[in-house]
Amino acid sequence: IQVFSMSFLVYFVPLHCCSKFFCCIFLLLLFSLFTPQVEVYSVKVDCKVTSRFAHTVITSIALNKANISREIFFEVDLPKTAFITNFSMSIEGQTYVGNVKEKEKAKKQYEKAVSTGQTAGLVKASGRKMEKFSVSVNIAPNSNVTFIMTHEEMLKRKLGQYEIVTRVKPKQLVQQFEIVADIYEPQGIAFLDAYGTFITNDLLPLVEKTVTDKKAHISFSPTLDQQRKCPGCDGTLIDGDFIIKYDVDSFVFQIVNGYFVHFFAPSDLPRVPINVMFVIDRSGSMMGNKISQTREAMLTILDDLHEDDYFGIIVFDSTILEWKDSLTKATKENVIQAKTFVSRINPSGMTNINYALMESVKMLKKERQDRKQSERSVSMIILLTDGMPNVGESSVDKIQENVRNAIRGNMSLFCLGFGDDVEYSFLDVMARQNKGLARRIYEGSDATLQLQGFYKEVSTPLLSEVDLRYPDDLVNSLTTSHYKQLFNGSEIVVAGRLSDNNFSVKSQASAQDWDLLYPEQEYIFGDFTERLWAYLTIQDLLSKRSTGTEEEKANATAQALEMSLRYNFVTPLTSMVVTKPETEKGPEDPLIADKLTEGTRPSGPQYIWPLDLSGYGSPCLTVVCVSLSPIYYVDGDPHFIIEFPGREDALCFNIDDKPGTIFSLVRDPLGGVLVNGQTIGDKKVAPNGKMNTYFGRLGIVHQALGVRLEVTTQDITVSQDGKQAKFYWSDTVTKDRSLTVTLRDSVRFLVILHKVWKQHPYHQDYLGFYTLDSHLLSPSVHGLLGQFYHGVQFEVRDLRPGEEPEKPDATMLVKGHELTVTRGWQRDFHSHIRKGDLVPCWFIHSNGNGLIDGNHTDYIMSGLFKTV
């Protein structure tokens, strides 16, 4: 939770820490030397949990102690599985409440506001488990604002426990800071623990826990002095996650106000042996940390196999490589051999997912036919990939159809998508069509632990084909009551409406039968079962939108939308519209809050800061930390790269010309946006006779705002209306240097300074230029990069050996040309600035001729800010 204020012309954010999802070094250029006087007076998080259903209210009061108006920001990180249900701002006795509307209607309001040049987006961003809710409001001098935000979620049991995560980042000392949680579980609390990632030994006694048979009360309320990093300093220790974990004694049937919820997790069941095929992507894009972390995780996973399990391993790129031609019993000797095989996996080639999955299904089917395994055993495939199919069968719809027809409900498919660039929706649908689930594995130092954790969740099935049955004449509007599998440490939850409080429920599963009857209970808040039922029903309907016939998808969408609006949930089908109070300049445009789905999430954190220029007019330039796809960029010698969403293939080409040449990179005459780049050369010609060229100077213009930004390898100059400010790269950070620029919600660019060892005999510092968001530019946009902003159609065929074994040639059909292209690799530094990520691409020879419009000389400009 963050509340703060800014009042600057330009806000520069070096992306030094973006790989950890937080920017932690800020350089502020001030046209008015003013220190914001905004105080976060209070922050309170009040969480009530009744039978796993969590209702959380966050309240914060901020004071503007300045003698001029200030823009105050309120940010909350909430769990991805939560639905926002309410938001309000109270200012000088007036309350402004957010309204949940159909997303399309809210979108029209948003687009109307954007088209007038106003900032109108309520930013949402996701990390691994959290999303960001952010809103800002202009507050009069010596006034205060109270923000209240409510969200609800159904806690999910994993590995035998429930988890409540509250992220707190006030960024300053808070007069009244409090986290309170009340948990009520009618069947009893088995254990409970509460801790904070930021809590020191001195703060540990402040975490108060009171646990009785059915209830728990947790609180954390440090004083102002206890929050300080050191005695007398203003820095705060409160920066991280406050976590509560607990489990329950039993799993029961509960009834409240005509709605019921049934928790089903039988204990003391024997483990079911598994027959598992590990299908591992070893294509070239897995190079580096991905493949090394995969190898490390697999070594641990193999150790976790039980001796009554059977397993097989297939690694794939353009082709497949089987460890053995059949599944093998998990004896110690076989596990040791498998670990040797895994340790030798090295990346190369392309991605043939269809071939690998078809072969793994064949192997599992053959084992069943040969009756080598126990009749009680469960068969599963675990697929790990980081990209899209780009060789063999490359249609995702066809692959899904092939896999579904091959499996025919006889085994489960679990899909792990490694990294931000994977087409998650493809894996998600394919997994759910085949009795499994998908999970994104985030790149980072703990990727190995993520892989191991997922395997632990799915490797211990207890029951299969679980069908919970209820009397048809007594219940209706059931949530999903048939489950393919129940894993150890998880639970099944079914909710519905009923007309009689006394009835029996039977559970039929392949392992056991159950006959249960439970009486009515009392709860903290009376309508929780109805809202829990609505939450689960909406989740079920949203899941059905990606499977079934078109009519079934349409019906599910309509029902989910109707329930989202009725219960005031912000879901992927709805948005919250926040009407902001009028300012001296008149009414402000509404802000829109959306719910992001995993498959449509930006690939990195997103922080946007609308700015008040304190007398210098409308906001003109914002610099943000953001990562969006697709990415169009030029980096290196100079390598132009066009990455496309939804497919692993990228296009790349070089431009070779003499140093000092100025090229048009982006030009939008209707939008008034211009970007030119000037090349520099090596210090001298290398022994091989080649003179490398790079971009060493960039000119960025927004004509309507009268803004010019000149970036060189030494400094950055910002000009507007006769005013000018300059700062030097050396003043920002000592290592990673990058700058992301947003021009009035029209486009976002990232500029990276690559530092070269000063004593290098040939090379020198140079710039990389990345386009992060271009969707608001007009159809007339052009330039060496700009011409690709609205897409390009191409087809690659006739793959054949090239001059180098690892770089095959192919024929590309594009823009009416038939070109010979070569498979290669370039580095994308926008997410990992130090090392970059390897990007596979098709290289177009001869300065991109045939791909770019005209000839590269058509893009030469006479000046850094010229259009001719």
Side-chain angles (χ1 to χ4, degrees):
I1 301 128
Q2 309 173 30
V3 182
F4 50 93
S5 166
M6 288 185 297
S7 181
F8 312 117
L9 174 64
V10 185
Y11 186 57
F12 292 101
V13 184
L15 305 190
H16 174 207
C17 303
C18 272
S19 61
K20 296 182 179 178
F21 298 106
F22 297 103
C23 300
C24 50
I25 300 178
F26 304 86
L27 173 67
L28 307 179
L29 289 185
L30 310 184
F31 277 120
S32 57
L33 297 177
F34 176 81
T35 301
Q37 298 180 348
V38 172
E39 176 188 340
V40 182
Y41 177 75
S42 71
V43 171
K44 181 175 181 179
V45 181
D46 187 358
C47 178
K48 286 186 174 10
V49 180
T50 301
S51 296
R52 290 72 142 180
F53 194 62
H55 175 90
T56 303
V57 180
I58 299 114
T59 305
S60 183
I61 301 175
L63 312 176
N64 176 18
K65 294 185 174 182
N67 56 7
I68 58 174
S69 296
R70 282 283 168 260
E71 191 86 357
I72 293 181
F73 290 72
F74 173 73
E75 291 188 350
V76 173
D77 287 284
L78 64 150
K80 286 181 179 180
T81 52
F83 289 157
I84 296 172
T85 62
N86 183 57
F87 173 75
S88 66
M89 301 181 293
S90 296
I91 306 167
E92 297 180 350
Q94 184 76 28
T95 300
Y96 305 87
V97 181
N99 296 312
V100 176
K101 295 187 177 183
E102 183 180 353
K103 177 166 286 187
E104 288 304 311
K105 294 180 179 179
K107 184 179 178 182
K108 290 178 181 178
Q109 286 184 265
Y110 174 82
E111 290 176 343
K112 180 180 178 182
V114 170
S115 67
T116 62
Q118 301 296 316
T119 298
L122 195 155
V123 180
K124 295 299 296 297
S126 65
R128 298 185 181 183
K129 298 182 180 181
M130 311 296 281
E131 296 179 332
K132 187 176 293 294
F133 173 97
S134 173
V135 67
S136 68
V137 65
N138 200 284
I139 299 299
N142 302 307
S143 298
N144 65 73
V145 56
T146 300
F147 299 101
I148 301 176
M149 200 270 280
T150 305
H151 64 78
E152 294 177 338
E153 68 168 323
M154 182 73 193
L155 301 180
K156 189 172 183 179
R157 190 170 186 253
K158 291 182 180 180
L159 300 177
Q161 62 186 14
Y162 306 92
E163 183 179 81
I164 307 166
V165 179
T166 301
R167 182 158 295 168
V168 285
K169 292 178 172 292
K171 294 187 176 180
Q172 60 174 272
L173 301 174
V174 179
Q175 289 282 348
Q176 297 179 3
F177 182 91
E178 186 178 21
I179 297 175
V180 177
D182 289 290
I183 300 173
Y184 178 56
E185 294 290 352
Q187 64 273 39
I189 296 174
F191 80 89
L192 183 143
D193 189 22
Y195 61 95
T197 58
F198 55 87
I199 291 180
T200 62
N201 290 334
D202 292 335
L203 292 179
L204 199 57
L206 302 179
V207 180
E208 298 181 358
K209 296 178 290 185
T210 303
V211 183
T212 61
D213 180 32
K214 300 179 179 180
K215 297 181 180 180
H217 177 81
I218 304 97
S219 66
F220 175 66
S221 182
T223 65
L224 204 65
D225 286 337
Q226 289 170 332
Q227 297 171 40
R228 299 182 191 275
K229 284 186 175 180
C230 58
C233 63
D234 294 331
T236 177
L237 290 168
I238 312 301
D239 185 0
D241 294 341
F242 188 82
I243 301 168
I244 300 171
K245 294 183 177 181
Y246 75 96
D247 198 15
V248 296
D249 282 325
S250 59
F251 301 86
V252 298
F253 190 96
Q254 302 167 0
I255 302 172
V256 174
N257 295 339
Y259 291 83
F260 76 86
V261 57
H262 183 194
F263 300 99
F264 180 72
S267 58
D268 300 325
L269 292 178
R271 178 184 180 274
V272 177
I274 62 172
N275 315 309
V276 57
M277 284 295 306
F278 298 102
V279 184
I280 303 171
D281 185 348
R282 66 163 184 183
S283 62
S285 57
M286 288 286 289
M287 188 175 295
N289 285 336
K290 290 180 183 178
I291 200 67
S292 62
Q293 290 172 327
T294 299
R295 285 194 298 255
E296 184 179 351
M298 279 298 300
L299 295 177
T300 301
I301 288 171
L302 290 170
D303 279 333
D304 289 340
L305 289 168
H306 291 244
E307 286 216 4
D308 56 350
D309 294 335
Y310 281 75
F311 73 104
I313 304 172
I314 288 179
V315 295
F316 70 95
D317 43 43
S318 307
T319 60
I320 68 167
L321 175 63
E322 300 169 345
W323 170 51
K324 292 189 176 183
D325 59 4
S326 63
L327 272 73
T328 303
K329 193 171 184 179
T331 63
K332 291 183 179 179
E333 294 78 11
N334 288 335
V335 167
I336 291 172
Q337 293 178 29
K339 291 168 75 172
T340 301
F341 174 80
V342 166
S343 65
R344 294 172 180 171
I345 298 175
N346 289 306
S348 66
M350 301 173 72
T351 308
N352 196 335
I353 292 176
N354 186 76
Y355 186 17
L357 287 177
M358 290 297 99
E359 290 302 309
S360 63
V361 173
K362 286 181 183 178
M363 289 180 67
L364 282 168
K365 281 186 174 181
K366 187 176 185 302
E367 295 299 315
R368 278 295 185 189
Q369 292 169 357
D370 294 344
R371 299 183 178 274
K372 291 184 178 180
Q373 292 91 29
S374 165
E375 287 295 326
R376 294 181 59 249
S377 65
V378 172
S379 296
M380 64 177 66
I381 299 170
I382 298 179
L383 167 69
L384 171 66
T385 181
D386 75 331
M388 285 289 288
N390 54 18
V391 68
E393 180 57 68
S394 58
S395 166
V396 296
D397 293 333
K398 185 62 176 176
I399 294 173
Q400 289 168 347
E401 179 185 350
N402 292 343
V403 173
R404 186 169 63 252
N405 291 338
I407 288 179
R408 294 189 178 277
N410 294 317
M411 60 195 71
S412 298
L413 171 63
F414 299 98
C415 297
L416 296 172
F418 207 140
D420 295 322
D421 299 326
V422 69
E423 183 60 32
Y424 184 83
S425 58
F426 158 56
L427 300 178
D428 182 47
V429 170
M430 187 164 62
R432 285 191 286 110
Q433 288 175 340
N434 296 283
K435 301 167 53 173
L437 55 91
R439 181 76 53 81
R440 189 189 296 275
I441 301 299
Y442 293 88
E443 293 184 59
S445 58
D446 66 338
T448 299
L449 297 177
Q450 295 177 59
L451 292 167
Q452 294 169 2
F454 178 84
Y455 177 74
K456 286 182 179 179
E457 286 183 43
V458 303
S459 63
T460 53
L462 301 178
L463 296 174
S464 61
E465 302 299 337
V466 182
D467 191 15
L468 293 166
R469 298 179 181 178
Y470 307 85
D472 293 336
D473 58 335
L474 297 179
V475 303
N476 59 77
S477 303
L478 278 178
T479 61
T480 298
S481 59
H482 179 81
Y483 286 80
K484 302 297 183 181
Q485 291 167 329
L486 172 67
F487 296 102
N488 187 35
S490 66
E491 71 179 344
I492 289 173
V493 183
V494 180
R497 293 189 292 197
L498 53 100
S499 55
D500 192 321
N501 286 351
N502 292 298
F503 65 95
S504 64
V505 54
K506 291 186 177 181
S507 167
Q508 292 193 354
S510 61
Q512 280 188 325
D513 292 335
W514 295 80
D515 203 350
L516 306 172
L517 176 66
Y518 295 95
E520 182 178 356
Q521 303 284 347
E522 295 179 355
Y523 298 89
I524 291 177
F525 50 99
D527 68 342
F528 98 92
T529 41
E530 181 179 354
R531 295 192 65 81
L532 184 154
W533 165 79
Y535 176 96
L536 292 176
T537 301
I538 292 171
Q539 295 280 29
D540 285 348
L541 292 168
L542 292 174
S543 177
K544 292 176 182 177
R545 291 172 65 221
S546 57
T547 58
T549 66
E550 290 303 316
E551 182 179 358
E552 290 171 339
K553 292 179 183 178
N555 290 337
T557 299
Q559 293 177 50
L561 173 60
E562 188 276 329
M563 291 192 66
S564 299
L565 295 172
R566 190 198 319 169
Y567 289 94
N568 216 56
F569 284 137
V570 178
T571 71
L573 301 175
T574 57
S575 297
M576 179 169 286
V577 179
V578 181
T579 303
K580 298 173 71 173
E582 293 190 11
T583 65
E584 296 177 357
K585 300 177 183 179
E588 291 204 22
D589 293 289
L591 298 177
I592 312 297
D594 285 336
K595 177 70 176 177
L596 303 177
T597 61
E598 185 64 54
T600 58
R601 297 178 184 279
S603 60
Q606 190 174 35
Y607 305 98
I608 294 185
W609 320 94
L611 307 180
D612 172 11
L613 296 189
S614 301
Y616 287 99
S618 302
C620 66
L621 180 69
T622 311
V623 182
V624 302
C625 169
V626 64
S627 178
L628 296 173
S629 59
I631 303 294
Y632 313 88
Y633 62 96
V634 55
D635 211 331
D637 175 27
H639 305 298
F640 289 80
I641 319 290
I642 299 95
E643 296 183 32
F644 296 96
R647 59 192 300 177
E648 189 172 297
D649 283 349
L651 304 182
C652 53
F653 60 94
N654 288 358
I655 297 294
D656 293 319
D657 212 300
K658 61 183 179 181
T661 305
I662 298 173
F663 291 101
S664 170
L665 302 181
V666 181
R667 183 190 175 197
D668 184 1
L670 295 181
V673 174
L674 171 74
V675 182
N676 289 340
Q678 185 174 28
T679 60
I680 57 174
D682 282 339
K683 298 174 184 176
K684 59 182 179 180
V685 178
N688 60 8
K690 179 175 175 57
M691 168 65 76
N692 295 298
T693 57
Y694 316 85
F695 280 106
R697 188 169 168 237
L698 295 169
I700 303 174
V701 176
H702 195 299
Q703 294 173 348
L705 299 172
V707 174
R708 285 190 176 192
L709 180 67
E710 182 178 349
V711 184
T712 72
T713 57
Q714 299 296 320
D715 54 46
I716 302 168
T717 303
V718 184
S719 305
Q720 184 191 23
D721 299 332
K723 301 179 180 68
Q724 189 177 90
K726 177 183 288 190
F727 74 97
Y728 297 90
W729 286 103
S730 57
D731 294 332
T732 57
V733 292
T734 58
K735 294 182 180 178
D736 298 335
R737 293 169 172 81
S738 59
L739 180 72
T740 309
V741 181
T742 295
L743 295 172
R744 180 66 81 78
D745 289 326
S746 61
V747 66
R748 296 190 183 101
F749 300 124
L750 169 68
V751 180
I752 297 175
L753 173 63
H754 294 281
K755 296 291 290 181
V756 177
W757 179 46
K758 288 184 178 181
Q759 305 303 318
H760 196 288
Y762 308 112
H763 305 322
Q764 59 179 321
D765 298 349
Y766 64 95
L767 302 173
F769 176 79
Y770 295 71
T771 306
L772 301 182
D773 188 6
S774 61
H775 75 281
L776 292 177
L777 292 178
S778 76
S780 65
V781 66
H782 209 262
L784 283 171
L785 283 177
Q787 63 188 289
F788 300 105
Y789 287 173
H790 299 293
V792 59
Q793 297 295 321
F794 67 94
E795 179 183 349
V796 178
R797 59 173 62 167
D798 186 24
L799 187 67
R800 54 192 183 273
E803 293 183 5
E804 301 177 43
E806 68 276 10
K807 294 183 178 181
D809 286 345
T811 299
M812 176 179 288
L813 304 180
V814 59
K815 294 185 177 181
H817 303 285
E818 188 171 303
L819 309 176
T820 296
V821 294
T822 302
R823 194 64 170 174
W825 300 88
Q826 298 296 342
R827 287 198 177 272
D828 177 349
F829 292 91
H830 88 277
S831 294
H832 302 94
I833 296 169
R834 288 188 178 183
K835 297 182 179 179
D837 296 316
L838 281 174
V839 176
C841 66
W842 290 109
F843 182 79
I844 292 87
H845 302 271
S846 304
N847 291 315
N849 282 344
L851 174 65
I852 64 173
D853 296 335
N855 189 280
H856 81 279
T857 56
D858 300 334
Y859 299 86
I860 296 177
M861 299 291 109
S862 59
L864 195 63
F865 298 103
K866 299 291 186 179
T867 58
V868 294

